[in-house]
Amino acid sequence: MKVKKILLIFVLICIILFLIFYYIFCVLGNNKNINQDEVVDNILENLEEYEANVDILVISNKTQNNYNMNQIVEKNSSKFIVNSPDSIKGMTVEANNNTLKITNTKINMEKIYEKYEEVLNNNLFLNTFINDYKNNESKKYEKDDEIILETELKNNLSTYIKYKELHLTKNTKIPTELLIKDNTKKTCIRIKYNDIKIK
């Protein structure tokens, strides 16, 4: 009789533990088996349209150049306006469908390029990263309080742009920086997002 009671209590404890774990991992959404591709797709989909103020560091063998600009990205257009350095302050570059427009009011210059697709692949924008991430060998992982999305550009002929790494805060899924690396995995462009508004 005692053995049956002990066995019954043991079975009840097992059932209770199973229900607790089921509730924690399935009902509350902490399930580690959630499709990771779906999670990444949701993150990237939210970044397709945005406005941001960014600091850009361009690193070459001998120099480092700093830029500050505003980016405005909508479904069919990408635009940036340079805030600094002063020598090109106010310069605007706008890609709209297959047209590229460069305007510099300081020197009264405006150029429009039609069907110029090579230039339209602007690596400074998140929508280009999204496209690269989806169409190349990519991975997602978490480190400290960040989600990191990495991609390797297989078909890119340039040795200067071979790897990209987007850092997002884990809680908000908001980008903090985008690193663009060469074929040796050395960072050549670092884009820091000071302020970003997702549309």
Side-chain angles (χ1 to χ4, degrees):
M1 194 71 169
K2 278 186 177 181
V3 174
K4 283 186 177 179
K5 279 186 179 179
I6 291 171
L7 189 61
L8 182 64
I9 291 169
F10 177 75
V11 169
L12 283 173
I13 290 171
C14 288
I15 291 171
I16 290 168
L17 286 173
F18 170 78
L19 291 173
I20 289 170
F21 282 110
Y22 175 80
Y23 180 77
I24 290 171
F25 290 104
C26 293
V27 177
L28 292 181
N30 292 326
N31 190 348
K32 299 293 182 188
N33 294 324
I34 290 173
N35 186 341
Q36 291 299 313
D37 290 339
E38 198 174 299
V39 171
V40 171
D41 284 346
N42 287 338
I43 291 170
L44 295 179
E45 190 177 298
N46 288 334
L47 300 177
E48 287 181 347
E49 294 189 38
Y50 68 93
E51 288 186 26
N53 176 269
V54 297
D55 285 323
I56 299 173
L57 174 65
V58 180
I59 305 163
S60 65
N61 290 336
K62 296 180 180 178
T63 62
Q64 291 189 11
N65 294 305
N66 290 286
Y67 303 90
N68 177 271
M69 61 181 67
N70 293 333
Q71 294 182 343
I72 302 158
V73 176
E74 294 173 349
K75 275 197 175 171
N76 295 317
S77 67
S78 304
K79 177 181 181 179
F80 69 75
I81 304 158
V82 178
N83 300 318
S84 68
D86 284 337
S87 59
I88 55 170
K89 184 176 180 178
M91 186 175 86
T92 302
V93 177
E94 187 172 0
N96 197 337
N97 294 322
N98 286 332
T99 303
L100 183 74
K101 181 180 175 184
I102 302 171
T103 310
N104 190 337
T105 52
K106 220 172 195 182
I107 58 171
N108 199 24
M109 186 264 305
E110 180 176 298
K111 287 191 177 182
I112 297 173
Y113 300 92
E114 298 283 346
K115 298 178 182 175
Y116 208 76
E117 293 175 13
E118 306 93 68
V119 177
L120 299 183
N121 183 13
N122 194 327
N123 290 290
L124 302 180
F125 292 111
L126 285 173
N127 56 349
T128 302
F129 174 84
I130 292 167
N131 188 54
D132 290 337
Y133 189 90
K134 288 179 177 178
N135 295 305
N136 289 280
E137 190 176 311
S138 303
K139 64 179 178 178
K140 167 196 175 283
Y141 61 93
E142 294 182 5
K143 186 178 178 184
D144 301 325
D145 292 330
E146 289 188 315
I147 296 170
I148 299 169
L149 306 179
E150 282 186 7
T151 187
E152 179 182 355
L153 308 181
K154 291 290 187 185
N155 297 322
N156 193 6
L157 300 176
S158 170
T159 57
Y160 295 106
I161 299 174
K162 189 68 177 169
Y163 300 93
K164 292 185 179 182
E165 192 177 291
L166 181 66
H167 293 242
L168 307 104
T169 55
K170 196 184 287 187
N171 292 336
T172 63
K173 314 293 188 290
I174 298 293
T176 55
E177 67 176 356
L178 174 62
L179 303 176
I180 299 172
K181 302 180 178 184
D182 64 17
N183 59 337
T184 65
K185 294 195 173 182
K186 181 181 172 186
T187 300
C188 52
I189 300 174
R190 179 181 179 265
I191 302 168
K192 183 184 172 195
Y193 298 92
N194 302 319
D195 180 34
I196 184 164
K197 294 179 180 72
I198 310 299
K199 294 184 178 180

